[in-house]
Amino acid sequence: MPELPEAENIVRTLAPRITGQRILRSEFRTPRSRQGPMPDLAGRGVISVSRYGKQVLIGLDEGFLLIELRMTGLLLWREDLGTHTRARLIFGHGAVRFDDIRQFGSFRFLHDPPDHLGPDPLEIPPGDFRARLQVRQRMLKPLLLDQRFLRGLGNIYVDEILFRARIHPVALASRLSRARVERLHDSMVMALAEAIECGGSSISDYVNADGVKGRFQIRHRVYGKAGVPCRRCRFPIRRVVVGQRGTHFCPHCQRR
DNA sequence: TGGAATGTTCGGCT
DNA sequence: AAGCCGAACATTCC
């Protein structure tokens, strides 16, 4: 489920619960919930909780836990177990529960902070963004979804950002005008900031660590809105497939 | 019943 | 090399 705004809200709700606390015990209830070697976490202290792209990074007094939520992963602060609880971190005053219906997500232990993905969309300066776009002979949509290009964007927000920037999803990255790149950067920062403030998008069952849903879905302009009149020009929103992902856009406002 | 779903990776092809 | 495509992962929902 989670993309950058959802991961950010999970981090913001989880951080005050566990920062400075000590893990008493961990449970990995399915083999898939852990990837690679996982040392004993019992007794390790939590130094920090942050976001790495759309992933959640827990800094320990020794090493890091990088949690990939993928399609259906959630982190919840609650002590009981659910049908799809795949792992738990148990503290003296409560527990972090990793629920993941499809089991695509996992925990990984790292000795050093991650650095394998591209820049954060909220931090990249417009000039750097333009320089990175200019050298890529790729369609914008798959490029923006590529976590090595930018870390944090997913299918919902790429569609919403391209609509706000009025740029076609299959536009070639290297051929965007300076004005369009600026519009794209502005739209990206503004849409993500607004989505974070709204608590993210809950389209099926996303909730933050306190179990609270997001409200940005009511501000979606194109995602999941095939056939609905564009709010800018009233032309029906179209759904196509680009790079194997459902892609929503306004054919009138977003010209090639 | 088949298809699609907020994601990523891998192998093969051009 | 870079980019594209299909398949795979597992489950639920319509």
Side-chain angles (χ1 to χ4, degrees):
Chain A
M1 306 193 145
E3 304 180 29
L4 186 154
E6 291 75 33
E8 180 64 29
N9 276 279
I10 289 173
V11 163
R12 289 183 185 187
T13 44
L14 198 55
R17 305 286 196 179
I18 65 171
T19 306
Q21 305 293 325
R22 195 165 295 282
I23 299 172
L24 293 189
R25 182 162 65 82
S26 61
E27 285 176 4
F28 292 93
R29 309 170 60 83
T30 64
R32 310 189 69 83
S33 66
R34 143 180 43 179
Q35 221 178 56
M38 182 65 64
D40 186 11
L41 299 175
R44 301 212 190 207
V46 173
I47 303 296
S48 63
V49 181
S50 60
R51 179 177 64 70
Y52 184 66
K54 54 179 82 165
Q55 310 183 31
V56 175
L57 183 66
I58 299 181
L60 304 173
D61 44 23
E62 172 98 41
F64 300 83
L65 284 175
L66 185 62
I67 304 161
E68 246 186 285
L69 288 325
R70 298 271 183 119
M71 295 286 264
T72 55
L74 295 173
L75 291 174
L76 303 168
W77 177 253
R78 53 185 292 173
E79 305 216 31
D80 59 338
L81 292 172
T83 315
H84 306 292
T85 302
R86 312 300 186 189
R88 292 203 301 163
L89 299 177
I90 293 145
F91 295 81
H93 63 309
V96 175
R97 182 173 120 175
F98 172 56
D99 282 17
D100 186 14
I101 294 175
R102 288 170 73 177
Q103 302 193 69
F104 289 172
S106 62
F107 282 49
R108 253 190 309 164
F109 181 85
L110 305 176
H111 292 281
D112 303 295
D115 65 349
H116 59 294
L117 302 178
D120 193 284
L122 292 175
E123 288 168 9
I124 188 171
D128 292 9
F129 183 53
R130 177 156 181 269
R132 285 176 80 78
L133 283 168
Q134 271 188 327
V135 296
R136 304 305 295 268
Q137 302 292 118
R138 287 185 79 180
M139 293 183 292
L140 219 36
K141 163 116 185 187
L143 182 61
L144 293 173
L145 285 175
D146 185 341
Q147 303 298 296
R148 291 163 306 186
F149 181 72
L150 282 184
R151 62 171 123 106
L153 302 182
N155 211 31
I156 293 178
Y157 293 102
V158 168
D159 284 2
E160 293 297 323
I161 288 164
L162 289 172
F163 173 77
R164 284 161 173 76
R166 283 172 280 134
I167 300 173
H168 197 286
V170 310
L172 196 62
S174 61
R175 296 182 64 172
L176 289 177
S177 67
R178 183 180 284 262
R180 283 178 163 233
V181 171
E182 260 167 46
R183 236 160 55 206
L184 183 56
H185 186 270
D186 287 352
S187 302
M188 176 168 78
V189 171
M190 291 197 296
L192 293 174
E194 191 184 335
I196 289 171
E197 264 185 65
C198 288
S201 302
S202 293
I203 74 148
S204 61
D205 36 27
Y206 164 76
V207 288
N208 68 23
D210 292 331
V212 176
K213 289 189 181 199
R215 304 175 315 277
F216 191 69
Q217 65 281 2
I218 66 178
R219 301 204 198 174
H220 288 178
R221 304 301 185 221
V222 288
Y223 184 81
K225 304 220 173 286
V228 174
C230 169
R231 80 192 308 273
R232 189 186 290 120
C233 75
R234 315 314 294 172
F235 196 94
I237 298 301
R238 183 175 300 166
R239 180 189 183 279
V240 296
V241 174
V242 178
Q244 303 155 256
R245 305 302 300 276
T247 297
H248 315 74
F249 70 107
C250 172
H252 182 260
C253 296
Q254 296 168 265
R255 312 282 179 78
R256 291 200 53 175

